[in-house]
């Protein structure tokens, strides 16, 4: 049984660094660069759950003792990372499932997580359980936004598997990506004066467009459960369609592309993602079958 112990990357970052904030509130109103008074604080470990959660995940098929390409496993790992929870991964060879694994997951599926001596399957159920047991920081997506982007994955699979260029599967995927692009666009409003906080600068048609954001994520400024579910699927979409179809998301969907770039660059995502080689290998049976 292969195991790997992980402490959330954001937690390790915070524990390693002292964070300095200006003591004088007028700092935020000044244009001058000179500030001399700071207070320093560090993140305390008192409230941290120090007992790692056990999680069974797919093992890599290309590299020994590495995480495999299951987007549902990554969703759960991302949730643990964003909640700063320590966890212990048990890497499972799904092509040769060991008996110990089948005893705790009779259907042979991952992920499964151990809560209070009980192994719980299904990423939806696991994510909900993590939210209930560890509500801080909250990752709940409001009900009216919970299904944003939820049809992208199924239309991606349809297009990936399709061998008929005129079958409409590509357009079905583009429609879902376009709808998602429109949603993220609604989260962005033009800069209105220097009182707004600048979040990012986007290069479009050879000129810089500056935005102040309500937020780059599905629920606005802060990441939520819907993002953690969708992001691994978009990662698979980008790699698998690029490899098997030589296809990429068009430049006419800049907000979707920017969203992906933002999420894919997060420390928690980079730590829990599969290698491109594993993603390619994982989708090969569906493409070739």
């Amino acid at each position: 049984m292969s195991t790997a112990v992980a402490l959330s990357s954001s937690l390790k970052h915070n524990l390693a660094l002292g964070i300095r904030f200006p003591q004088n509130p007028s700092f935020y109103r000044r244009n001058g660069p000179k500030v001399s008074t700071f207070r320093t604080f560090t993140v305390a470990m008192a409230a941290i759950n120090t007992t790692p959660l056990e999680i069974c995940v797919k093992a890599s098929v290309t590299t020994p003792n590495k995480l495999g390409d299951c987007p549902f496993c990554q969703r759960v790992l991302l949730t643990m990372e964003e909640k700063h929870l320590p966890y212990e991964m048990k890497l499972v060879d799904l092509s040769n499932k060991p008996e110990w694994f089948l005893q705790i997951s009779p259907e042979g599926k991952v992920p499964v997580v151990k809560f209070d001596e009980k192994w719980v399957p299904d990423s939806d159920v696991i994510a909900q359980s993590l939210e209930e047991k560890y509500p801080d920081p909250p990752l709940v997506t409001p009900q009216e936004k919970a299904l944003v982007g939820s049809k992208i994955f199924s239309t991606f699979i349809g297009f990936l598997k399709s061998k008929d260029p005129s079958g409409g599967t590509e357009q079905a995927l583009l429609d879902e990506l376009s709808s998602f692009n429109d949603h993220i666009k609604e989260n962005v409003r033009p800069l209105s004066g220097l009182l707004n906080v600048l979040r990012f600068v986007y290069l479009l048609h050879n000129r810089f467009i500056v935005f102040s954001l309500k937020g780059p994520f599905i629920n606005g400024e802060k990441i939520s459960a819907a993002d953690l579910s969708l992001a691994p699927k978009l990662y698979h979409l980008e790699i698998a369609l690029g490899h098997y179809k030589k296809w990429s998301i068009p430049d006419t969907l800049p907000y979707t592309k920017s969203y992906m770039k933002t999420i894919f660059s997060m420390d928690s995502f980079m730590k829990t993602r599969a290698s491109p080689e594993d993603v390619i290998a994982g989708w090969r049976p569906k493409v070739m079958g």
Side-chain angles (χ1 to χ4, degrees), residues 151-289:
K151 296 181 180 180
I152 291 175
F153 193 57
S154 60
T155 54
F156 146 62
I157 295 174
F159 178 40
L160 181 67
K161 294 171 64 177
S162 174
K163 294 178 173 57
D164 180 4
S166 60
T169 55
E170 179 181 8
Q171 188 58 52
L173 174 59
L174 285 170
D175 289 345
E176 293 301 325
L177 290 171
S178 179
S179 177
F180 182 76
N181 187 80
D182 291 344
H183 175 83
I184 299 300
K185 182 179 180 179
E186 287 300 312
N187 280 355
V188 181
R189 54 188 171 85
L191 180 65
S192 174
L194 294 178
L195 295 179
N196 289 320
V197 180
L198 296 182
R199 300 292 189 175
F200 71 87
V201 177
Y202 189 79
L203 184 62
L204 183 63
H205 300 308
N206 295 321
R207 63 192 182 101
F208 284 100
I209 310 294
V210 183
F211 292 104
S212 172
L213 294 188
K214 297 175 184 176
F217 303 113
I218 288 174
N219 190 36
E221 185 177 358
K222 294 184 179 180
I223 200 166
S224 70
D227 301 294
L228 304 183
S229 176
L230 178 61
K233 298 168 184 175
L234 290 174
Y235 179 68
H236 279 240
L237 178 156
E238 181 178 69
I239 294 172
L241 289 181
H243 179 80
Y244 290 108
K245 296 273 192 179
K246 308 303 179 188
W247 188 93
S248 61
I249 293 176
D251 291 339
T252 53
L253 303 176
Y255 295 93
T256 297
K257 296 181 74 170
S258 178
Y259 173 87
M260 293 168 65
K261 184 177 180 179
T262 298
I263 293 244
F264 294 172
S265 65
M266 291 169 45
D267 288 344
S268 58
F269 192 93
M270 291 190 290
K271 181 178 178 181
T272 59
R273 69 187 178 188
S275 70
E277 293 78 14
D278 269 304
V279 174
I280 291 168
W283 287 104
R284 186 171 291 117
K286 290 189 178 293
V287 175
M288 302 304 181

Side-chain angles (χ1 to χ4, degrees), residues 8-237:
S8 71
S9 55
S10 54
L11 173 61
K12 290 193 291 185
H13 175 77
N14 286 332
L15 291 175
L17 299 177
I19 306 173
R20 303 203 304 165
F21 281 84
Q23 189 175 32
N24 187 348
S26 65
F27 166 78
Y28 297 103
R29 298 191 296 270
R30 272 190 250 154
N31 293 324
K34 295 181 180 179
V35 177
S36 59
T37 305
F38 287 86
R39 285 181 297 188
T40 301
F41 69 92
T42 56
V43 178
M45 293 191 67
I48 298 172
N49 174 28
T50 55
T51 302
L53 290 166
E54 296 180 64
I55 175 172
C56 295
V57 296
K58 182 180 180 180
S60 168
V61 298
T62 65
T63 309
N65 301 318
K66 293 291 185 180
L67 179 66
D69 63 292
C70 173
F72 305 101
C73 291
Q74 189 185 11
R75 173 195 182 183
V76 173
L77 293 173
L78 276 171
T79 303
M80 292 177 175
E81 285 283 332
E82 291 299 318
K83 286 187 171 291
H84 317 310
L85 298 171
Y87 53 86
E88 177 184 325
M89 291 191 298
K90 300 181 183 297
L91 303 175
V92 181
D93 180 356
L94 296 184
S95 65
N96 185 25
K97 299 168 186 173
E99 184 59 32
W100 66 263
F101 173 64
L102 292 173
Q103 289 179 1
I104 62 177
S105 179
E107 294 184 359
K109 295 182 179 180
V110 289
V112 286
V113 173
K114 192 175 185 180
F115 292 113
D116 302 322
E117 302 306 314
K118 179 182 178 181
W119 288 95
V120 177
D122 191 304
S123 63
D124 286 336
V125 176
I126 294 169
Q128 181 62 35
S129 297
L130 288 170
E131 189 63 41
E132 292 171 356
K133 291 177 179 293
Y134 311 101
D136 187 36
L139 294 174
V140 176
T141 306
Q143 186 174 1
E144 65 272 17
K145 298 180 181 180
L147 296 180
V148 171
S150 62
K151 296 181 180 180
I152 291 175
F153 193 57
S154 60
T155 54
F156 146 62
I157 295 174
F159 178 40
L160 181 67
K161 294 171 64 177
S162 174
K163 294 178 173 57
D164 180 4
S166 60
T169 55
E170 179 181 8
Q171 188 58 52
L173 174 59
L174 285 170
D175 289 345
E176 293 301 325
L177 290 171
S178 179
S179 177
F180 182 76
N181 187 80
D182 291 344
H183 175 83
I184 299 300
K185 182 179 180 179
E186 287 300 312
N187 280 355
V188 181
R189 54 188 171 85
L191 180 65
S192 174
L194 294 178
L195 295 179
N196 289 320
V197 180
L198 296 182
R199 300 292 189 175
F200 71 87
V201 177
Y202 189 79
L203 184 62
L204 183 63
H205 300 308
N206 295 321
R207 63 192 182 101
F208 284 100
I209 310 294
V210 183
F211 292 104
S212 172
L213 294 188
K214 297 175 184 176
F217 303 113
I218 288 174
N219 190 36
E221 185 177 358
K222 294 184 179 180
I223 200 166
S224 70
D227 301 294
L228 304 183
S229 176
L230 178 61
K233 298 168 184 175
L234 290 174
Y235 179 68
H236 279 240
L237 178 156

